[in-house]
DNA sequence: ATCCCCATGTAATTTGTTACATGATTGA
DNA sequence: TCAATCATGTAACAAATTACATGGGGAT
């Protein structure tokens, strides 16, 4: 399920140009998938070459033609086939958690800033989902509800977890561990404790 | 924070060969970061070229020399610098959620199988974290505890969410929507309802 | 017998990101 | 006047995945 396939899927719900498609991605998928123009435009060109979508250019004034893509019968078949055979991955790549793993090596200020920024991102995500939820009607498909709820649930626990556990990272060294070290400056002591193992 | 940088960070905790490093990645980072040999071995060669690690080959019987990498002072400085300047991303790329978004286009059996597989993966993750937690001592750094707890919390909500909301995806079409369609077979009806919009 | 563990790497391919290139219209 | 929205694309680059290539030792 690369960007190309997902574009095809989005077009299942109705024709669109590349620009609109990107907005759909941002609105509906932003909390679990991202796609930039650099992936979307080539993907649409590919799909058109493969006959999975058709393209019609609508002239505009003062800007490039709008190229409106519409899925074909072959495109529908293709998308359904992928949907039924590909094993969907769920991949998290978190530099944030990797950074937190090394919290003991960090300046407390920096650590606090990183935690704060992540919290901010999570709250943004929660707000975004709330916003799109307010536009829903009875027609809103179950799939859309499910993924939004999933995203909201994840963002909430992540934020809660950070808020309730951050003190473990920022707390002063416990006596037991400090006495095992040999430096009086807590910040350097932490670095040394780990550095000396190497 | 690419694989190269993370290898450097892992070596902060002690020397290791590429093979061991991969195992550390799997043990400690598997729930939020992945790295294969295809990334790790070239990364270590790079680090050695840059003087951030040293390499010593230990001959083995019947297998390639073990190349043991150790971080240098320059390597430590470099890693700390990155840790304090890079903005850590947190990126989820979930084909699973993308697939669920299109749940209405799916054969119920397939849908159930996909949900089940994701649940299985999440339970695996929970068990894995429990396992590594059982090896912890007083010496276990706060960072390791934090990331493991984070992973466990996320996996738990994700699994709970799927279990409590999957019925929304598998449920029979509500009367209101079914009457809007024109087919008697519920499975095809769902596909058509959406297909006709395009 | 067969599979997993150990242990290294390279090369091709896939995929996506970022920067570049253009340019009118609208609202603050 | 400045930023955002609309609208397209390409090209260079970065990064990781996958497949390939090799091979002994130990457990079931």
């Amino acid at each position: 399920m690369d960007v190309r396939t997902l574009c095809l899927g989005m077009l299942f719900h109705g024709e669109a140009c590349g620009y609109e498609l990107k907005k759909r991605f941002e609105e509906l998928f932003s909390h679990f998938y991202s796609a930039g123009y650099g992936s979307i435009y080539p993907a649409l060109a590919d799909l058109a070459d493969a006959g999975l979508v058709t393209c019609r250019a609508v002239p505009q004034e003062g800007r490039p033609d709008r190229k409106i893509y519409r899925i074909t019968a072959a495109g529908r078949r293709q998308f359904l086939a992928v949907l039924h055979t590909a094993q969907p991955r769920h991949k998290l790549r978190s530099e944030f958690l990797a950074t937190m793993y090394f919290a003991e090596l960090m300046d407390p200020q920096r650590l606090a800033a990183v935690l704060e920024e992540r919290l901010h991102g999570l709250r943004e995500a929660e707000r975004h989902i709330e916003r799109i939820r307010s536009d829903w009607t009875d027609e809103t498909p179950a799939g859309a509800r499910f993924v939004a709820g999933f995203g909201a649930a994840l963002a909430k626990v992540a934020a809660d977890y950070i808020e309730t556990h951050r003190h473990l990272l920022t707390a002063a060294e416990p006596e037991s561990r400090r006495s095992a070290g040999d430096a009086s400056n807590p910040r350097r002591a932490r670095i040394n404790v780990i550095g000396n193992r190497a």
Side-chain angles (χ1 to χ4, degrees), chain A:
Chain A
M1 293 265 282
D2 52 10
V3 173
R4 187 172 159 280
T5 304
L6 250 17
C7 284
L8 191 57
M10 300 255 92
L11 292 173
F12 223 106
H13 291 349
E15 56 178 29
C17 67
Y19 189 83
E20 288 167 329
L21 230 37
K22 169 117 192 295
K23 287 178 72 181
R24 288 196 200 171
F25 269 105
E26 272 160 12
E27 186 168 316
L28 303 165
F29 285 16
S30 62
H31 51 101
F32 62 87
Y33 208 98
S34 62
Y37 293 123
S39 326
I40 291 172
Y41 285 122
L44 288 169
D46 272 11
L47 290 169
D49 285 349
L52 302 174
V53 302
T54 57
C55 174
R56 128 182 91 97
V58 177
Q60 306 260 263
E61 287 169 34
R63 56 187 68 162
D65 290 0
R66 249 179 116 216
K67 292 172 119 179
I68 300 175
Y69 294 90
R70 179 192 292 248
I71 194 167
T72 64
R76 288 214 183 91
R77 271 196 305 276
Q78 169 72 23
F79 182 67
L80 291 175
V82 172
L83 208 54
H84 285 80
T85 55
Q87 62 244 246
R89 303 245 145 254
H90 182 79
K91 188 171 218 160
L92 177 61
R93 185 172 216 82
S94 179
E95 296 172 3
F96 163 70
L97 287 173
T99 300
M100 289 306 98
Y101 180 81
F102 296 105
E104 273 105 341
L105 302 179
M106 289 169 79
D107 172 3
Q109 310 237 273
R110 161 71 175 170
L111 176 59
V114 169
L115 286 165
E116 212 47 64
E117 202 186 307
R118 186 80 277 270
L119 271 176
H120 180 262
L122 289 165
R123 291 198 192 105
E124 267 297 309
E126 287 186 270
R127 253 179 278 127
H128 175 255
I129 292 170
E130 263 323 299
R131 224 179 300 131
I132 66 170
R133 270 179 164 161
S134 67
D135 293 334
W136 284 353
T137 67
D138 286 350
E139 299 294 299
T140 303
R145 292 173 188 275
F146 184 89
V147 300
F150 197 102
L154 283 197
K156 193 181 176 339
V157 251
D160 286 354
Y161 183 88
I162 292 174
E163 271 166 357
T164 56
H165 292 81
R166 59 186 302 174
H167 70 277
L168 296 173
L169 299 174
T170 16
E173 291 282 86
E175 282 309 310
S176 59
R177 204 176 306 170
R178 189 182 295 174
S179 62
D182 56 352
S184 54
N185 180 324
R187 191 187 307 170
R188 292 196 60 82
R190 257 176 239 145
I191 290 175
N192 287 340
V193 163
I194 293 188
N196 288 343
R197 287 190 203 154

